[in-house]
Amino acid sequence: MTVIRCIHTEDICRLDALIRGCRTVTVAAHTHPDGDALGSTAALVCYLRNLRGKDAAAVLPDTPSSTVRPIIPEGVPFLFFDAQPDACRRRIAGSDLVFLLDCNGFSRTEGLQESLGASPAPKVLIDHHLHPDAGRFDLVFSTPEISSASELLYYVLVALPDICGDARRLPPESARALLTGMTTDTNNFANSVYPSTFRMASDLLEAGVDRDDVLSTLYNQYRENRVRAMGYLQHENLRITPEGLAYMIVTRAVRERFGLEDGETEGLVNVPLSIGRVKMSILLKEEQDHFRVSIRSKKGWSAQQLAASRFHGGGHENASGGKLFWPADIPAPEDAPAFLEHISRECLS
Ligand SMILES: [Mn+2]
């Protein structure tokens, strides 16, 4: 069986004891949930409900976009803070075990932060981002040397005595959600793939997960507008600096023109990296008083450092995110291109 270095037998025993001793479980993840956040939370909730008989529910800071929402299996309880703040607060207050997945600390759970921090329940972190806020948790499974939170959760679940290394014992909904989460975070086996990632995938296919159906759910259900907007942004909006920084800015006007929904630009930031001379790619999305920033970099250039030093953010070495505020960081949204050109000269030459 694959051994993931951050998974220790004594921690698995403690986790098993925590699960045995609890009744009501909250499984939380980061804001703007992506496929990995949804896949991993859905997988854990299904495991806890179907195999351990617990009253488990996922509680997320905000409603997922329509592109990733189909990842949630039917009938699995999910609560979203932006839609039902009181239900989320009650759920967290009434839980005697709390998990945080795909997220290195409570600070990335926005509206949930206060309730999660105030909960006296034991807390378990299962995550693959850098710099885990380990001091706030009773039990931590964390490593950046893995594809996704879904993969790490897979190896935690199969180490538990009731699964005992046999993926076929996982509830089918959990198995499918784990493969789905890993597929989205690796961009369908394109980045952050480790030997353990392929092993997990083979195990899950052997356990009966229908990968064609997973891929169809993820990549063949887009709206026509999204495809047209992607074409427009790459043709009309993409700029590449002499130093090799590619950037695109999804303004409110672009969003309105194509009727773009939150989440529909997911993956677009990766596209410019296919150009030989591009070292880093940045996508800005205009919000109320800031841009949401996604950064991807090629090997040798750190998206993580740029996100931390210029965009109040972080993440992974080659895939990070953050925010760019006005008037604090730039005078007005129109000044974003000049700001990016400046960063390019400073950081990439
Ligand atoms: Mn992830």
Side-chain angles (χ1 to χ4, degrees), residues 30 34 36-37 102 127-129 147-149 185 316:
H30 61 76
D34 58 5
D36 189 29
D102 198 27
D127 182 47
H128 69 125
H129 294 85
S147 68
S148 53
D185 250 25
H316 311 285

Side-chain angles (χ1 to χ4, degrees), residues 232-299:
Y232 169 81
L233 285 161
Q234 289 169 62
H235 190 260
E236 303 290 329
N237 191 290
L238 172 65
R239 296 282 174 274
I240 306 174
T241 67
E243 298 82 23
L245 174 71
Y247 64 88
M248 287 180 268
I249 303 180
V250 184
T251 58
R252 236 182 258 216
V254 170
R255 263 217 314 263
E256 276 161 25
R257 174 172 169 184
F258 292 96
L260 277 179
E261 292 172 7
D262 195 37
E264 284 194 302
T265 51
E266 189 72 40
L268 178 61
V269 66
N270 296 304
V271 174
L273 288 185
S274 63
I275 301 166
R277 72 181 181 90
V278 169
K279 298 164 183 163
M280 255 199 227
S281 168
I282 296 185
L283 183 77
L284 300 187
K285 277 180 270 181
E286 186 178 351
E287 303 274 342
Q288 198 68 33
D289 61 349
H290 66 277
F291 287 107
R292 263 163 63 198
V293 183
S294 305
I295 311 175
R296 299 291 181 275
S297 61
K298 284 185 183 160
K299 212 176 170 183

Side-chain angles (χ1 to χ4, degrees), residues 129-300:
H129 294 85
L130 298 165
H131 314 306
D133 189 6
R136 304 287 303 275
F137 294 87
D138 300 272
L139 193 51
V140 173
F141 299 93
S142 165
T143 174
E145 305 276 301
I146 204 159
S147 68
S148 53
S150 296
E151 184 186 331
L152 183 53
L153 175 64
Y154 169 75
Y155 286 107
V156 168
L157 291 179
V158 296
L160 286 163
D162 55 343
I163 307 295
C164 196
D166 185 353
R168 287 168 303 182
R169 294 187 191 169
L170 287 169
E173 302 84 0
S174 295
R176 182 188 164 100
L178 291 168
L179 189 80
T180 307
M182 178 275 288
T183 301
T184 61
D185 250 25
T186 59
N187 198 4
N188 198 9
F189 293 93
N191 6 76
S192 313
V193 173
Y194 294 80
S196 57
T197 314
F198 288 112
R199 260 177 235 130
M200 165 208 187
S202 330
D203 292 351
L204 290 173
L205 294 195
E206 269 172 6
V209 177
D210 182 345
R211 179 163 183 267
D212 290 338
D213 194 58
V214 166
L215 293 182
S216 171
T217 302
L218 289 176
Y219 303 118
N220 295 339
Q221 313 281 351
Y222 294 129
R223 299 184 314 137
E224 179 181 337
N225 272 13
R226 179 200 184 257
V227 177
R228 295 197 183 280
M230 298 300 105
Y232 169 81
L233 285 161
Q234 289 169 62
H235 190 260
E236 303 290 329
N237 191 290
L238 172 65
R239 296 282 174 274
I240 306 174
T241 67
E243 298 82 23
L245 174 71
Y247 64 88
M248 287 180 268
I249 303 180
V250 184
T251 58
R252 236 182 258 216
V254 170
R255 263 217 314 263
E256 276 161 25
R257 174 172 169 184
F258 292 96
L260 277 179
E261 292 172 7
D262 195 37
E264 284 194 302
T265 51
E266 189 72 40
L268 178 61
V269 66
N270 296 304
V271 174
L273 288 185
S274 63
I275 301 166
R277 72 181 181 90
V278 169
K279 298 164 183 163
M280 255 199 227
S281 168
I282 296 185
L283 183 77
L284 300 187
K285 277 180 270 181
E286 186 178 351
E287 303 274 342
Q288 198 68 33
D289 61 349
H290 66 277
F291 287 107
R292 263 163 63 198
V293 183
S294 305
I295 311 175
R296 299 291 181 275
S297 61
K298 284 185 183 160
K299 212 176 170 183

Side-chain angles (χ1 to χ4, degrees), residues 79-130:
L79 293 169
F80 307 117
F81 186 80
D82 59 345
Q84 299 166 276
D86 291 333
C88 289
R89 285 193 197 99
R90 274 199 306 275
R91 175 84 214 178
I92 293 169
S95 292
D96 51 8
L97 183 58
V98 169
F99 286 88
L100 184 64
L101 307 183
D102 198 27
C103 186
N104 60 5
F106 295 130
S107 62
R108 288 201 62 222
T109 61
E110 303 222 331
L112 298 177
Q113 194 174 340
E114 210 175 300
S115 313
L116 289 172
S119 155
K123 299 179 189 74
V124 182
L125 179 70
I126 302 177
D127 182 47
H128 69 125
H129 294 85
L130 298 165

